[in-house]
Amino acid sequence: MKIKKLFMERAIQLANNGIGIISPNPIVGCVIEINGLIISEAWNYQCENEHAEVKAINKIKNDSLFLKSTLYVTLEPCSHLGTTPSCVDLIIKKKISIVVIGAKSPFIKSRIGIKKLKKYGIKVIENYLHDQCRIINKRFFTFYEKNRPFIILKWDQSYDGFIASSFKKNECISNIYSRQLTHKWRSEEDSILVGEKTILMDNPELNTIKWNGKNPVKIFLDKELSIPNYYHLFDNKQDTIIFTEKKIEKKNNKIEFIQICFDQKLLEQILFFLFKKKIQSIIVEGGKKILEIFIKKNIWDESRVFISNKIFNDGLNAPIVNGNIILKKNIDTDILIIKSFY
Ligand SMILES: NC(=O)c1ccc[n+]([C@@H]2O[C@H](COP(=O)([O-])OP(=O)(O)OC[C@H]3O[C@@H](n4cnc5c(N)ncnc54)[C@H](OP(=O)(O)O)[C@@H]3O)[C@@H](O)[C@H]2O)c1
Ligand SMILES: [Zn+2]
């Protein structure tokens, strides 16, 4: 039987449906194929609480088909009994002939799965389209391998490199497309962080109103608790975490106050708290100071920068990052996506 790229690519395409929906679970796509034809396919979706492999397998009613079939899955199948039955045991029970796996799981306890499949005579092909299969789960892998959320730094800058103009307050840099894309990006991440000055100056809502998707958890730093409570941040429409140096008992159903020390380890304290809370990703949307906390420590994964054709002549300089450009696109303004060397 010939292993074909096309089937794993389809599994990756299916897995991508889960971005922004199923965190903290990984996104997974699965395709079952016989003689070049897909006979079943699925992706994991939180509400149904079933793994992609189980869903794809259960759609096939004629068990004799499994003997001739190849199962493609983007992430190593689970082998532990969790809230759902083990995918490895189901694959063995159904006597699937070949299993093609994209990326290995970061969990040691899942690792026995491949050995078990082989022990039962199933041919296993590992690391197939490995890089692509890892990238789709970059949030999940970063979280478990680095013990912190995946970090995206995002800002808009003028053609001459400013994130704010000296002359016009709230001068818009982006356009309607980039604003909508920003809302799509927000919907894909677990949380969003902005600096205190940005909040005081721009009073942002930090929602996804221009896109059909979930709202991220709002995070902000308010050392002295100086942001007035009539600001959008306190509108109670989204879960909100406020890091402060003040001791505060106040509790509100959607707003959580966390006391930390605003010292050299500020970033580490924030990331550790988010890790414990299972927040797998964060999009940092400026201003300059807050972005530079991440850049100076070299703790970030991706930068997404909109470069418009407006000229400001003077203002607040945009941050500078070093990394590999992984995407350059134009939607009336240039979009650059840069991957950290870190
Ligand atoms: N173009 C864009 O994409 C974009 C996006 C967002 C904002 N902006 C613009 O950026 C400007 C605001 O940026 P900004 O750089 O002035 O402020 P900022 O990054 O929004 O906020 C930084 C704030 O965090 C505080 N902070 C507390 N602890 C800190 C620490 N350990 N390290 C660094 N900061 C700490 C700072 O206090 P201290 O002042 O005491 O240091 C400061 O008030 C506004 O004009 C806004 O419109 C542009
Ligand atoms: Zn599973």
Side-chain angles (χ1 to χ4, degrees), residues 84-122:
T84 52
S86 145
C87 291
V88 160
D89 288 339
L90 187 63
I91 291 169
I92 292 167
K93 186 175 155 208
K94 296 289 182 181
K95 301 191 174 70
I96 287 174
S97 136
I98 304 175
V99 173
V100 185
I101 298 169
K104 282 205 179 122
S105 160
F107 303 126
I108 309 285
K109 63 180 176 184
S110 289
R111 286 288 160 82
I112 47 167
I114 293 177
K115 263 196 199 152
K116 195 167 174 185
L117 290 172
K118 287 178 182 167
K119 194 176 131 194
Y120 281 86
I122 294 167

Side-chain angles (χ1 to χ4, degrees), residues 51 53 78 87:
H51 290 182
E53 304 93 307
C78 66
C87 291

Side-chain angles (χ1 to χ4, degrees), residues 154-157 162-164 170 173 194-199 201-202 221 223 262-263 266 285-291 293 316:
K154 185 260 157 192
W155 70 88
D156 304 345
Q157 67 181 59
F162 298 105
I163 65 161
N170 287 339
I173 304 179
V194 288
E196 189 184 326
K197 238 184 198 149
T198 300
I199 291 162
M201 291 177 77
D202 305 346
L221 314 179
K223 191 174 172 180
F262 279 55
D263 59 11
L266 174 86
E285 289 200 20
K288 182 181 169 71
K289 270 196 180 160
I290 203 90
L291 289 164
I293 300 179
L316 193 60

Side-chain angles (χ1 to χ4, degrees), residues 164-200:
S165 162
S166 300
F167 308 106
K168 284 190 201 158
K169 190 178 175 272
N170 287 339
E171 167 73 348
C172 201
I173 304 179
S174 53
N175 61 31
I176 51 166
Y177 308 113
S178 59
R179 278 195 289 280
Q180 188 179 34
L181 183 54
T182 300
H183 282 220
K184 175 181 187 282
W185 286 346
R186 287 176 181 176
S187 76
E188 292 172 350
E189 308 311 330
D190 285 352
S191 67
I192 180 165
L193 169 68
V194 288
E196 189 184 326
K197 238 184 198 149
T198 300
I199 291 162
L200 288 169

Side-chain angles (χ1 to χ4, degrees), residues 18-27 44 46 75 106-107 134-152 186 188-192 214 216-217 219 241 270-283 301:
I19 291 184
I21 301 174
I22 61 161
S23 169
N25 293 327
I27 59 170
N44 58 342
Q46 193 177 28
L75 186 69
F107 303 126
R134 255 184 83 88
I135 281 169
I136 56 167
N137 266 314
K138 57 192 174 188
R139 297 162 184 83
F140 176 77
F141 281 111
T142 301
F143 188 77
Y144 286 105
E145 289 172 1
K146 295 186 175 166
N147 294 346
R148 63 158 173 84
F150 185 81
I151 299 163
I152 298 166
R186 287 176 181 176
E188 292 172 350
E189 308 311 330
D190 285 352
S191 67
I192 180 165
K214 66 143 190 24
V217 174
I219 301 172
I241 300 169
I270 294 171
L271 295 179
F272 182 64
F273 177 82
L274 299 180
F275 178 73
K276 278 198 306 184
K277 236 183 140 54
K278 289 211 169 4
I279 291 187
Q280 273 188 14
S281 65
I282 177 166
I283 181 160
D301 300 289

